[in-house]
Every structure is written in structure tokens, then in C-alpha cells.
Amino acid sequence: MIHNVECIIVQDEMKESGENIVAAKSMAFAIRCVKLNRFLRQEKGEYDLSRQLLRCGTSIGANIKEAIRGQSKADFRAKMNISLKEASESEYWIELLHRTGYLRDEEAESLLTDCRELLKLLTSIVRHSAEG
């Protein structure tokens, strides 16, 4: 259902092109959210929770891109903070989809692992951007 192989390929391609690692990981996570949304709608008839995850899961990378192109350090910090909040919200929706039976244990764990890795990266970036 939710295969991470394609996302690893995307991450590898982005790394080779010099793309920022957090941008690459957020793109891979967004792709997984899009595919999960499609699966949940088509296979399980679930629209509301998956739409919430789609919105916040794809917003992480969009805000990272905006931060990278930001006009100031304050702009960078603000956009990275938004990305952090969206990653935290994504974690919530994944947990809810799992606890309500829409995601199996292994699917939820895989998604949560990726999401929590983004949370760690973004927390570090936000913390360090506030120092400097």
C-alpha cells in the first residue's frame, strides 16, 4: 500500500542535485501523504481524516521551500516554525488514522518514523535559527 521505495529514490535524486536534506525528506513525506490520501479515499472510503493529513503533510515542504527563499532571517525562522507545527499536526493525524483502524501497525510506524525524523530536523533548525 504505502511503499517507501519511491520516496527514497526521490530523496536520493534531490541529494544528488544539491537539494537541502530537510527539503528532500519533506518532499518524500509529502509524496507518501498524497499516496496515502488516494489509497484511503479509493480503498477505504475515508475522506475527512486523510484530507487533514494531506493538507498538513504537504504543507511542511512548501513552507520549507518558502523559508529557503525567505527575504530575511526572521522570515526563515517563521516559515520553519510553521513547518514544525505542520509536522507535529501530521503526527497527530497519523496516530488518529492508526487508532481508528485506517492504518495497520506497520504502515503507521513507517509514516511516524518519517514524520518524527522531520520533527527532529525541524526542531533543531528552529532552535539553531533562534540562536543566530
Side-chain angles (χ1 to χ4, degrees):
M1 193 242 9
I2 307 167
H3 298 286
N4 205 15
V5 175
E6 292 174 17
C7 296
I8 291 169
I9 292 168
V10 169
Q11 284 180 275
D12 289 345
E13 289 171 355
M14 292 179 94
K15 280 189 237 176
E16 288 173 11
S17 70
E19 185 77 32
N20 180 305
I21 189 69
V22 73
K25 287 183 180 290
S26 66
M27 175 62 78
F29 184 73
I31 290 168
R32 292 189 75 192
C33 289
V34 169
K35 290 182 177 193
L36 175 61
N37 177 266
R38 185 180 313 132
F39 170 80
L40 290 173
R41 283 185 294 117
Q42 292 174 352
E43 302 298 322
K44 304 225 177 186
E46 199 298 308
Y47 293 89
D48 298 323
L49 301 177
S50 60
R51 187 176 304 124
Q52 293 283 41
L53 177 60
L54 178 66
R55 185 197 53 74
C56 58
T58 56
S59 177
I60 298 166
N63 280 290
I64 289 170
K65 281 288 198 184
E66 285 188 46
I68 291 169
R69 305 273 190 265
Q71 297 175 351
S72 66
K73 288 181 182 182
D75 191 29
F76 175 85
R77 213 170 17 257
K79 293 297 181 187
M80 284 299 188
N81 259 310
I82 292 169
S83 291
L84 178 59
K85 290 176 183 180
E86 296 290 349
S88 183
E89 184 179 340
S90 296
E91 182 183 39
Y92 172 83
W93 292 117
I94 294 166
E95 289 172 349
L96 185 59
L97 283 163
H98 179 237
R99 291 181 186 192
T100 55
Y102 287 107
L103 292 177
R104 295 185 311 237
D105 291 346
E106 59 274 3
E107 295 165 342
E109 272 312 307
S110 177
L111 283 161
L112 286 169
T113 296
D114 288 354
C115 186
R116 289 173 179 152
E117 185 176 3
L118 280 170
L119 281 166
K120 288 177 186 174
L121 288 167
L122 290 164
T123 297
S124 178
I125 290 168
V126 167
R127 193 173 292 143
H128 286 93
S129 69
E131 294 171 359

